[in-house]
Amino acid sequence: MVGDKLPGERGRDGAVTAEVTGFVGGVVSGLEQGAGGHHQPDRHRGHGSRTAAVTRVVGGRAGDALDEQVRHQLAAGAGVTGRDGGVRDGGEGGDAGHDLSHRGEEGQIAHRVRRGSRGHPPLGLRPAATVGDRGRVEPGGELEQLAEQHAVGVGLQRIGVTGDRAVHRGPVLPRKARGLAGDRRGPPLADPTRPERGAGVRELRQHPRQREVPGPAVRGLAARQRHLGGHPVVAGEGRGQPGLGGLGRALEPFQPMDQVDPLGVVGDPGSVQARQAGDQGRTVGYRDRVTDWFVAEQGWLARELFQRALAVVYLVAFVAAARQYRGLLDDHGLTPVRDYLQRVSFRRSPGLFHLHHSDRFFLGVAWTGAALSAATIAGLTDALPLAPAMLVWVVLWLLYLSIVNVGQTWYGFGWESLLLEAGFLAVFLGNDSVGPPLLTLLLLRWLLFRVEFGAGLIKMRGDRCWRDLTCLDFHHETQPMPGPFSWHFHRLPRRVHRVETLANHVTQLVVPFALFLPRPVAGVAAAVMIVTQLWLVASGNFAWLNWLTIVLALSALPDSWLAPLLPGSGAHDGSAPLPFVAVVALVTIGVAVLSYWPVANLLSSRQRMNTSFNRWHLVNAYGAFGHVTRSRYEIVLEGSRDGGTWAEYDFRGKPGDVRRRPRQFAPYHLRLDWLMWFAAISPAYAEPWLPVLAQRLLEGDRDALGLLRTDPFDGEPPRLVRARLYHYEFTTRRERRESGSWWSRLVREFLRATELRGGR
């Protein structure tokens, strides 16, 4: 047996000639056991005078893992066809054997297989040829030891290059060896009969639905491989699957195949020319390092789940905006958008409606947002290229920003700003065509931290009952819109309420700091928050506040936890284009700058709750229930035709009929019902719109009546309308059994009887 020989000479046609001699003893043994002379012309066909063949030997341990099919397909060398169509070089594999040859379509390429004998001891061959700074093919070194250490198998791979387009040729690994990289099938590679300049490298990609998540040992092997002096030739084929053979196949899920070129240079399409190998190798080394820190390896499934769930929240928000526009904000609504636009400039409320406004246009914006949200839930952004996918998220954010900025008091809730901030960050998560950006995922954790920690601080600085653990003795009864189980939560033993309050403090004041620790600690913190938010979902109706907080927490869960829930999804191509990296970095810097104001607010003793520091609703302050009311008051609207008999207008969500059990509406947001709760606390909340609502009821306005659950006058307007203030309490267990009522109430007058005068 002879040693290694890789001269790295360049032919006149720019092809690199590589010659590898020597075999691992196990390979020689495997060849001898294979059927001699079984030549497979399909797999050894040349592709004309522009075709070069590069051989690669992967060192390691031969053994029983190689099946009979592999032994048939192992090849010991390849010739290189120059400009004149002749054969430049070949390979030698042992001291006994025979030659095989085959004529190509336009030239001649010879393959000489020298079959070895059984008795040779294993030889430590270098596993790969690497391209140095000047484009010379040099033998590998460190990779050989890694290959033997990890025992990923033995094989010989070769590729043919036509112009700039690469075509894989290589052995099929046994299933045991393939298992490390998965056994997924992919599309066929480039057609060698249609050479297109610059297209070859992008064809060398792993399957877009690679599920396996690399273990630490293999990830380390891949990282060490990339940081060698040159980049190893990684090519191979397994039954039509684009990927790597031998050691290369073992690394397939972990090395971005769209950056692998047939001469071992990682970079853009066009770097496949050997004369550019040195310069491109240096450029790619930098790009690999950028990709290494930029991509979150455990963030593929978390990103996909977050984006789909966020699209669901967007869908609910747009549908609610469309359905409640008439009656609240149209030209005949309680607070018309047209009047607001005449008072407020674009600078104060940026959005599309300063450019054009009509009732039809507003509804078109809302339903367009709903349609895009539904398409995103169905996977639209994953099917599009990166730039159009990002544009979809930009459009969603811009459409909802335009609605919020003209929504006035109806859109003054903290979860509106929360949705806009989360939607803005979703723009820079990318899609399946790029790896999940670590920076954006960290920004989502920063947002989740502000939501939880801000809510915890406002409680401790606010109502004393949060500090003495008694707030939940009242909260379930007095919250804005109770849910179907709120009565049961309220009737829990007081000691359970103490535990609830204490657990809330731990979740909001302690656990959020763990979000910035490595996984799985961050995942545990996120899971605790999810459980807490689900408890709040069950206990009341808070629109999409709790659901959106859960969506944010999903982005912090590791993929290993989500994989059983999302079969068929997982890691794809882990690369990231440098322009995308630059944009995400700039956004991160921008968020860091804008974070000054919410951080200062968190540290202030006069902390503000649910505040936006800019008109774009980015990097806001959040919080909830700094003060808890001890008594519940409800405004009940009544109408009469004769002034003697009065009938109530029943609302959809807020308490009215004492026998009617509260309904579950969240994440859908009933804006009028929520504002009626604030109006009962202070009449100042209702001053701009409650008298207008009474007037619309006297007119029998269909849009205003559409905001309510029932019309007691069947479309015929009453002569009088009044508002009365009731004190509501949950019934006791005994009262509930005896009367069947969920509430008991006492009345006092809130708005005196009002009638139309002079047609107004």
Side-chain angles (χ1 to χ4, degrees):
M1 296 288 286
V2 290
D4 304 340
K5 182 179 177 184
L6 284 166
E9 300 177 356
R10 188 191 308 274
R12 289 181 300 170
D13 56 354
V16 177
T17 302
E19 185 172 321
V20 184
T21 60
F23 273 152
V24 178
V27 175
V28 175
S29 175
L31 285 174
E32 185 177 54
Q33 295 176 18
H38 281 206
H39 179 48
Q40 301 181 10
D42 304 5
R43 303 183 61 80
H44 295 277
R45 180 172 298 139
H47 296 290
S49 61
R50 290 178 59 103
T51 301
V54 181
T55 62
R56 174 187 177 208
V57 177
V58 178
R61 303 178 183 275
D64 297 336
L66 294 176
D67 60 13
E68 200 68 27
Q69 185 179 11
V70 177
R71 299 190 183 100
H72 278 285
Q73 293 180 341
L74 284 173
V80 178
T81 305
R83 178 174 299 178
D84 55 0
V87 176
R88 299 291 184 98
D89 262 320
E92 296 180 357
D95 56 357
H98 60 276
D99 294 346
L100 300 175
S101 63
H102 181 73
R103 181 174 301 275
E105 295 172 354
E106 301 179 21
Q108 180 176 357
I109 177 167
H111 305 266
R112 299 208 307 271
V113 180
R114 303 289 299 172
R115 297 188 57 211
S117 58
R118 181 183 297 271
H120 287 287
L123 297 179
L125 292 182
R126 299 184 183 277
T130 62
V131 180
D133 289 342
R134 299 183 177 275
R136 293 180 60 83
V137 176
E138 302 168 359
E142 182 181 1
L143 189 60
E144 172 195 358
Q145 300 174 1
L146 295 174
E148 293 186 357
Q149 176 182 354
H150 291 274
V152 293
V154 180
L156 181 71
Q157 301 87 42
R158 44 178 283 279
I159 59 174
V161 183
T162 301
D164 288 348
R165 186 175 288 272
V167 182
H168 283 121
R169 296 288 187 267
V172 178
L173 290 183
R175 184 171 185 84
K176 180 177 181 181
R178 290 200 308 267
L180 185 58
D183 191 22
R184 308 290 299 211
R185 298 294 184 260
L189 293 173
D191 181 1
T193 64
R194 298 178 56 193
E196 299 177 14
R197 189 169 184 79
V201 175
R202 293 295 173 183
E203 301 289 334
L204 297 174
R205 303 182 63 172
Q206 66 188 44
H207 192 274
R209 284 291 180 182
Q210 189 70 41
R211 294 175 53 186
E212 286 70 24
V213 178
V218 181
R219 284 201 306 269
L221 178 58
R224 294 178 66 184
Q225 178 191 16
R226 287 197 299 269
H227 288 87
L228 294 178
H231 295 273
V233 180
V234 284
E237 178 184 45
R239 296 177 180 171
Q241 176 185 349
L244 312 178
L247 175 62
R249 175 174 293 278
L251 301 178
E252 180 181 359
F254 323 122
Q255 183 168 354
M257 288 305 298
D258 62 343
Q259 298 181 13
V260 177
D261 77 40
L263 293 180
V265 179
V266 181
D268 295 331
S271 64
V272 294
Q273 288 94 349
R275 62 179 178 272
Q276 299 176 356
D279 294 338
Q280 291 289 350
R282 287 190 292 272
T283 300
V284 166
Y286 169 76
R287 181 172 177 178
D288 278 349
R289 288 192 293 272
V290 170
T291 300
D292 285 344
W293 69 260
F294 182 79
V295 174
E297 293 180 354
Q298 285 283 314
W300 290 92
L301 296 179
R303 175 180 64 179
E304 180 177 353
L305 189 58
F306 168 81
Q307 289 180 324
R308 302 291 178 91
L310 181 62
V312 173
V313 179
Y314 258 135
L315 176 62
V316 173
F318 280 115
V319 170
R323 289 178 55 84
Q324 299 177 48
Y325 171 71
R326 298 192 183 277
L328 293 181
L329 296 170
D330 69 349
D331 290 345
H332 200 59
L334 304 184
T335 57
V337 171
R338 189 177 302 277
D339 296 343
Y340 179 77
L341 292 174
Q342 293 175 356
R343 303 191 308 267
V344 179
S345 65
F346 178 89
R347 184 176 181 180
R348 286 186 56 191
S349 62
L352 299 175
F353 301 115
H354 283 278
L355 305 177
H356 175 74
H357 173 262
S358 67
D359 291 344
R360 181 175 296 179
F361 183 69
F362 188 101
L363 292 173
V365 166
W367 288 118
T368 298
L372 283 178
S373 302
T376 303
I377 296 171
L380 170 66
T381 56
D382 291 335
L384 294 175
L386 176 60
M390 295 176 66
L391 182 61
V392 170
W393 286 106
V394 170
V395 171
L396 286 171
W397 176 78
L398 180 60
L399 294 180
Y400 200 67
L401 175 72
S402 301
I403 293 174
V404 170
N405 278 347
V406 298
Q408 305 163 70
T409 187
W410 312 106
Y411 287 80
F413 300 92
W415 49 78
E416 313 286 3
S417 298
L418 180 59
L419 177 56
L420 286 171
E421 185 172 353
F424 178 80
L425 295 178
V427 175
F428 307 99
L429 276 176
N431 63 355
D432 282 353
S433 64
V434 297
L438 176 62
L439 290 177
T440 309
L441 292 174
L442 289 176
L443 292 180
L444 290 174
R445 295 191 200 180
W446 170 232
L447 173 55
L448 179 60
F449 175 90
R450 283 182 281 121
V451 171
E452 292 283 4
F453 193 64
L457 282 182
I458 201 70
K459 290 180 175 65
M460 298 303 292
R461 289 170 173 162
D463 203 316
R464 182 176 179 178
C465 69
W466 289 114
R467 297 188 293 274
D468 60 25
L469 308 182
T470 60
C471 272
L472 294 185
D473 293 345
F474 317 100
H475 171 71
H476 295 302
E477 181 181 67
T478 63
Q479 61 182 306
M481 192 182 302
F485 302 106
S486 297
W487 184 92
H488 301 280
F489 277 88
H490 178 67
R491 292 304 174 192
L492 289 173
R494 290 184 179 271
R495 60 179 178 275
V496 176
H497 289 159
R498 306 294 183 271
V499 174
E500 279 187 278
T501 309
L502 183 61
N504 178 83
H505 292 334
V506 173
T507 302
Q508 294 187 330
L509 295 173
V510 179
V511 174
F513 290 95
L515 291 171
F516 303 104
L517 298 178
R519 289 185 173 98
V521 178
V524 172
V528 171
M529 294 178 182
I530 290 174
V531 172
T532 304
Q533 293 298 322
L534 289 175
W535 181 271
L536 296 176
V537 167
S539 66
N541 282 287
F542 301 100
W544 53 79
L545 173 62
N546 307 123
W547 289 108
L548 189 50
T549 306
I550 291 173
V551 171
L552 290 170
L554 292 176
S555 67
L557 298 180
D559 280 3
S560 57
W561 295 7
L562 298 174
L565 304 176
L566 299 172
S569 301
H572 304 175
D573 180 4
S575 63
L578 291 181
F580 179 67
V581 175
V583 169
V584 171
L586 289 175
V587 170
T588 304
I589 294 173
V591 171
V593 172
L594 293 176
S595 295
Y596 168 80
W597 288 273
V599 170
N601 183 63
L602 287 174
L603 299 178
S604 173
S605 59
R606 298 183 177 180
Q607 178 187 356
R608 289 185 287 175
M609 182 174 64
N610 295 327
T611 300
S612 295
F613 301 98
N614 54 77
R615 294 300 179 180
W616 306 97
H617 296 268
L618 301 178
V619 197
N620 313 291
Y622 302 100
F625 297 105
H627 177 76
V628 174
T629 57
R630 277 31 174 205
S631 300
R632 180 180 198 91
Y633 291 94
E634 288 290 344
I635 297 175
V636 176
L637 296 178
E638 299 176 342
S640 175
R641 289 175 177 162
D642 57 10
T645 303
W646 295 88
E648 293 185 12
Y649 289 92
D650 201 8
F651 284 73
R652 296 182 182 274
K654 83 178 201 66
D657 183 359
V658 295
R659 290 178 172 271
R660 182 169 175 259
R661 183 177 186 174
R663 301 290 192 267
Q664 180 69 41
F665 287 95
Y668 191 82
H669 185 18
L670 295 172
R671 302 181 187 280
L672 178 59
D673 295 62
W674 267 78
L675 264 293
M676 291 294 290
W677 180 80
F678 284 101
I681 294 176
S682 172
Y685 286 107
E687 184 177 349
W689 52 267
L690 186 58
V692 181
L693 176 60
Q695 181 178 340
R696 296 292 180 265
L697 296 179
L698 289 170
E699 296 169 349
D701 184 78
R702 294 180 57 186
D703 294 331
L705 290 171
L707 299 173
L708 307 180
R709 179 172 176 264
T710 62
D711 174 15
F713 301 99
D714 297 327
E716 294 292 332
R719 184 173 65 86
L720 298 170
V721 169
R722 71 182 182 186
R724 307 182 79 185
L725 187 66
Y726 284 83
H727 177 244
Y728 274 71
E729 290 182 340
F730 275 133
T731 55
T732 64
R733 298 181 187 277
R734 180 178 178 180
E735 291 171 339
R736 173 83 183 91
R737 288 194 302 267
E738 293 177 352
S739 65
S741 298
W742 296 93
W743 300 97
S744 62
R745 67 181 187 178
L746 298 174
V747 63
R748 82 181 195 191
E749 194 169 78
F750 183 81
L751 176 67
R752 293 181 179 179
T754 304
E755 63 180 336
L756 285 177
R757 294 181 180 178
R760 298 185 61 184

